[in-house]
Amino acid sequence: MELIALKQFVESHDNFEIRVITHSGSRFYQLELEDVEGERHMLTQRGKPMLFRSLDDVYLELKRAGIHRAYLVQHVPQDEMIGRDAHYSEPLTSRMPLVF
């Protein structure tokens, strides 16, 4: 989903979830939108995933789109390596709310 499409989506819908995704050991962030139907859309720029270097950059871009809430999701591959189940899809164990 391109940035312009994200702004249009936000203007016409009110039931969606924005996720700020980061991976352990990475210094980049990606944005994902999940709509009511459960479809996930990564924020892209010219067809490639849009990457942010800091949470401040993420906040600025989301504010421009009219969004003031999101969830931070950090993928930790070590959980899978030591035999612990990954809980990426369970909301209470994998997300941290962000309000800006």
Side-chain angles (χ1 to χ4, degrees), residues 1-3 5 8 10 13 17-18 22 24-26 30 35 49 51-52 59-60 66-67 77 79 91 94 100:
M1 173 180 284
E2 295 286 326
L3 193 56
Q8 293 171 349
V10 169
H13 296 82
E17 183 176 296
I18 297 290
T22 184
S24 178
S26 175
Q30 290 180 297
D35 58 24
L51 298 175
F52 298 91
Y59 295 162
L60 180 63
I67 299 168
D79 285 347
S94 66
F100 40 91

Side-chain angles (χ1 to χ4, degrees), residues 42-93:
M42 293 301 290
L43 188 61
T44 59
Q45 187 173 31
R46 292 185 285 258
K48 296 182 180 180
M50 196 169 185
L51 298 175
F52 298 91
R53 293 183 185 258
S54 71
L55 282 176
D56 288 335
D57 294 342
V58 171
Y59 295 162
L60 180 63
E61 205 59 58
L62 289 176
K63 283 182 183 178
R64 286 183 188 162
I67 299 168
H68 301 284
R69 307 180 135 204
Y71 290 97
L72 179 65
V73 178
Q74 183 172 13
H75 293 283
V76 182
Q78 289 83 355
D79 285 347
E80 296 166 359
M81 291 177 66
I82 62 172
R84 188 181 311 159
D85 291 333
H87 299 285
Y88 305 139
S89 61
E90 295 178 20
L92 296 177
T93 58

Side-chain angles (χ1 to χ4, degrees), residues 14-25:
D14 61 351
N15 194 6
F16 58 89
E17 183 176 296
I18 297 290
R19 295 186 185 124
V20 179
I21 300 172
T22 184
H23 297 271
S24 178

